[in-house]
Amino acid sequence: MEKDARPNWDSPMQFVLACVSYAVGLGNVWRFPYLCQMHGGGGFLIPYFIMLLVEGVPLFYMELAIGQKMRLGSIGAWTAISPYLGGVGLASVVTSLYLCLYYNIINAWSFWYLFHSFQSVLPWAVCPINANRTAPIEECERASPTQYFFYRETLNISSTIEENGGIHTGQALCFLLTWVITYLCVVRGVQSTGKVVYFTATFPYVVLFIYLIRGFTLHGAVNGVKYMFTPKMDQLANPTTWINAATQIFFSLGLGFGSLIAFSSYNQYNNNFERQAITVSLINSGTSIFASIVTFAIYGFKATINYENCLERTRILLLNTFNLAEDTINMDNVFEWIEKLNATYPEQFNEIANDTGNCDLEKELATAVEGPGLAFIVYSEAITNMPLSQLWSVLYFIMLLLLGVGSMLGNITAIITPLQDFKAASLFLAGLVCLFCLLLGLGFTTTSGNYWFTIFNDYGATFSLLFIVLIEVITVSYIYGIKRFEKDIEDMLGHRPNWYWKIMWVAISPLLLIVLFVFYIVNYIMGGTPTYQAWDKEECSLAVIVTVTLCRCLILLQKSLTNPWIQTIRCITAKI
Amino acid sequence: MLDKILFLLCLASALADERCMPDTPHGFQVRLSIKTALGDEAYVWNENEMFLFRASLAFAMRNHMNGQQFEVSNIIVCNETMRVSFWFIVTSPLDTSQLIDQENVEAAIRQSRNRINSAFLLTDKTLEFVDILPTLATLYTHPTPPWLIVFGVVMGAVGAGIIIMLVSSVVQKKRKTNGKPQDKDDDEETRVKTVENGDAHDGVHNMSFSEDERFTKM
């Protein structure tokens, strides 16, 4: 009887699209624009591209090479490289598992918003009315309708992480749906994933393009784009800029999870992955820039709308206080009138002085947001101000969904592929993994779920990944040997890698990773007790809360579980 | 001439009620934003419009306090400004020295707010009664939330997709296992046939078992 041959992608295009779908994720949309704004706009592109060339592409290339050569998942591949280093593969699988636990909750939120877009009035556009029918609900009035919808109706968030309420049924249903869809995409392994990625990789670009056109035709969008692209070169002297560029490239490409090894293990032996590695990395960075142009157009629109609303409020206030005829003050001469009235009626003006004169377009533009806050609060607010908002809302949340599901497919494959190398039953293995992650992930649908999500998001994978990739690159360069690696690549591609790649793998990338690693450790130690932002029901805004030791234990527990090798090192270093 | 002027002055002072003043505890301030609401089609605020306002307020009071016949003269207005804002108080039709208290006036306005608004082609926001909170219209609450319907559709489609996938893979597996025994029989037959062909060349033709006759039947 013939042994089952390893399944393959139907074409190299499927593999490239799978990598693109995996690498291009939510981070491109909600993290990169924030970094761009924080670190000097157009000037940030310089460290970003340098890091891409020095760190991103070489490491991406290396992971694809390993997968395609060894034709096994991460555990098998690393065991084949060196029997003592199977732990690296195991660490990748565990980190992927952590990610799979919490990442799908974002997709659940996207589904929730998507389903709520099918109404004549978007529920996050207006505040619901209170029981007396006299005014909107107070919590909503003091915050904003979009914040209220996210924190109260979507999450039903509690005040601290210790208050665990019940499960939000709507959230749990959407969460179940996302896991069912994920299962559907991976149930037949590469056969099904390969078909799905045609859609998940390409449709987000369609939506982004539509949004680009829509964004640029919005009133005031140019303000935002101008603000973003004016480079503030002095930020380049700040080391944090370079560190952030390096970490962004690193996490954006999804290195260290084992997904790339898993994907490339299904390649034909002679597939030209060198060209594909460069292509995918460039597409990923290009998408980040593309998405940030769109984001800044939207920012500009939102800032202009807020600014004009502020001017309008001030105008009405002046008209009402001084009983002037309606057409004396219009939007253009508000500031002149403020000065005039201040001069002529100083006492009366003093009473309202606090509410006037604080409309500032620059200040509106400077409010930078990242993470789910950007995607679900800022963007939805901008959408409510567009005509035909239901259509834009549906398009946008479908895009978020596809970005999220694409990344999820990579991570689920990173778990399933190594396990499949050991066992045969693929039909039920995928189902078991999905079921396991579903049940554990239900914890994120409770009222304190968002805080747990933040812990996992901030601490779950960052530290471990740096360590894993550092060990990977040192292993390949020194333990396995760069010469052996070169020969393997020549075997597969027909030519040896350039001197450039070799220098990167042997010297520059490990050095850079060590710098990042040290930076993370120093930051973590200097940061003191970790804090998190909690939604204060009274103040109706986010407030910083110091975490309890509970979270500290969780973080330490997670780190010690990641890698038997890490434990060994820790034992060794502890003894020194 | 002089007594005419004196008469007019007395009339004016009789009409201007000193109980009507800004921040009066018995009345309310009204603010109209006609240009904001109607833009180019805004009408000019003049005495006739003021008359309509007083009449509609009288109508509101009549609706609320059944039986009492409020007249336009019972609504007293003062402190009109360029903003188009003014204060008003309401006197009782039975005794003009008596003022209707604020709660009743507020309740009356609340009840007939829509009618007053539509008389002026304005809304709750543009015809403001300061300190009277409008009764906000609640949004239409659907019996089944629409999101649940969309969720049901998507979930049904995905569930159907999974069942189809699982069933088709089970059917494929069954076909494979049914196909394998048949293949084995075919192999044996072909092997047997080749052996037979070989024997026909090598061995002796055994006449007792063959059905062929060397000689054709007659």
Side-chain angles (χ1 to χ4, degrees), chain B residues 86-151:
Chain B
F86 47 84
W87 287 83
F88 71 90
I89 53 171
V90 184
T91 59
S92 163
L94 307 165
D95 178 9
T96 47
S97 55
Q98 284 280 333
L99 291 179
I100 308 285
D101 56 310
Q102 268 195 338
E103 290 83 38
N104 274 321
V105 176
E106 183 172 340
I109 292 173
R110 267 237 170 96
Q111 203 177 342
S112 313
R113 188 69 183 262
N114 264 346
R115 301 293 297 272
I116 303 175
N117 284 349
S118 47
F120 291 93
L121 308 173
L122 297 173
T123 64
D124 279 346
K125 266 197 141 176
T126 40
L127 175 54
E128 246 184 290
F129 286 89
V130 179
D131 292 334
I132 299 184
L133 301 169
T135 314
L136 300 167
T138 48
L139 297 171
Y140 172 63
T141 44
H142 304 85
T144 13
W147 76 267
L148 206 53
I149 300 173
V150 187
F151 169 80

Side-chain angles (χ1 to χ4, degrees), chain A residues 486-503:
Chain A
E486 252 188 306
K487 252 192 274 175
D488 288 336
I489 294 182
E490 191 185 13
D491 206 21
M492 287 191 281
L493 291 182
H495 64 267
R496 289 185 169 231
N498 211 347
W499 57 267
Y500 173 76
W501 303 114
K502 286 189 280 196
I503 292 182

Side-chain angles (χ1 to χ4, degrees), chain A residues 112 115-116 118-119 126 129 133-135 170 173 176-177 180-181 183-184 188 319-320 323-327, chain B residues 31 33-36 81-83 85 134-136 138-139 146-147 150-151 154-155 158 161-162 165 168-169:
Chain A
W112 174 266
F115 294 153
H116 276 85
F118 291 96
Q119 289 174 9
V126 286
I129 315 287
R133 294 178 70 191
T134 49
L173 285 175
L176 174 68
L177 179 62
V180 169
I181 286 184
Y183 177 63
L184 187 64
R188 286 251 186 96
L319 285 178
N320 290 351
N323 288 319
L324 306 160
E326 275 181 277
D327 45 1
Chain B
R31 214 180 266 143
S33 312
I34 309 171
K35 292 213 176 64
T36 314
T81 66
M82 290 289 294
R83 172 72 177 82
S85 70
T135 314
L136 300 167
T138 48
L139 297 171
W147 76 267
V150 187
F151 169 80
V154 176
M155 187 60 132
V158 171
I162 289 190
M165 280 265 193
S168 69
S169 54

Side-chain angles (χ1 to χ4, degrees), chain A residues 230-302:
Chain A
T230 24
K232 301 170 192 64
M233 288 303 198
D234 50 321
Q235 280 288 331
L236 287 183
N238 184 2
T240 322
T241 310
W242 295 85
I243 301 273
N244 277 341
T247 37
Q248 173 62 15
I249 286 283
F250 184 82
F251 293 124
S252 176
L253 286 173
L255 304 164
F257 280 109
S259 314
L260 297 169
I261 297 181
F263 276 155
S264 60
S265 70
Y266 296 114
N267 272 340
Q268 302 288 341
Y269 191 68
N270 295 100
N271 178 44
N272 185 359
F273 61 90
E274 179 171 348
R275 212 164 23 148
Q276 290 167 342
I278 300 174
T279 315
V280 174
S281 312
L282 285 177
I283 290 179
N284 182 49
S285 298
T287 312
S288 292
I289 298 175
F290 187 29
S292 56
I293 296 178
V294 176
T295 306
F296 275 92
I298 304 277
Y299 266 158
F301 167 64
K302 183 175 110 65

Side-chain angles (χ1 to χ4, degrees), chain B residues 145-216:
Chain B
W147 76 267
L148 206 53
I149 300 173
V150 187
F151 169 80
V153 169
V154 176
M155 187 60 132
V158 171
I162 289 190
I163 293 175
I164 291 174
M165 280 265 193
L166 291 176
V167 166
S168 69
S169 54
V170 167
V171 165
Q172 263 185 19
K173 265 190 182 165
K174 275 203 178 142
R175 280 208 194 124
K176 265 191 194 165
T177 45
N178 282 340
K180 269 181 188 157
Q182 282 174 8
D183 287 336
K184 282 191 189 139
D185 288 339
D186 286 335
D187 283 339
E188 278 179 19
E189 280 175 13
T190 49
R191 256 184 266 130
V192 165
K193 278 182 191 147
T194 50
V195 166
E196 271 188 355
N197 286 338
D199 278 349
H201 288 298
D202 296 337
V204 180
H205 192 78
N206 193 336
M207 293 297 290
S208 51
F209 290 103
S210 76
E211 287 180 355
D212 292 334
E213 298 265 347
R214 273 191 172 230
F215 302 106
T216 52

Side-chain angles (χ1 to χ4, degrees), chain B residues 12-21 76-78 89 91 96 99:
Chain B
S13 57
L15 285 174
D17 198 330
E18 59 275 356
R19 294 175 294 180
C20 174
M21 53 186 180
I76 302 173
V77 166
C78 58
I89 53 171
T91 59
T96 47
L99 291 179

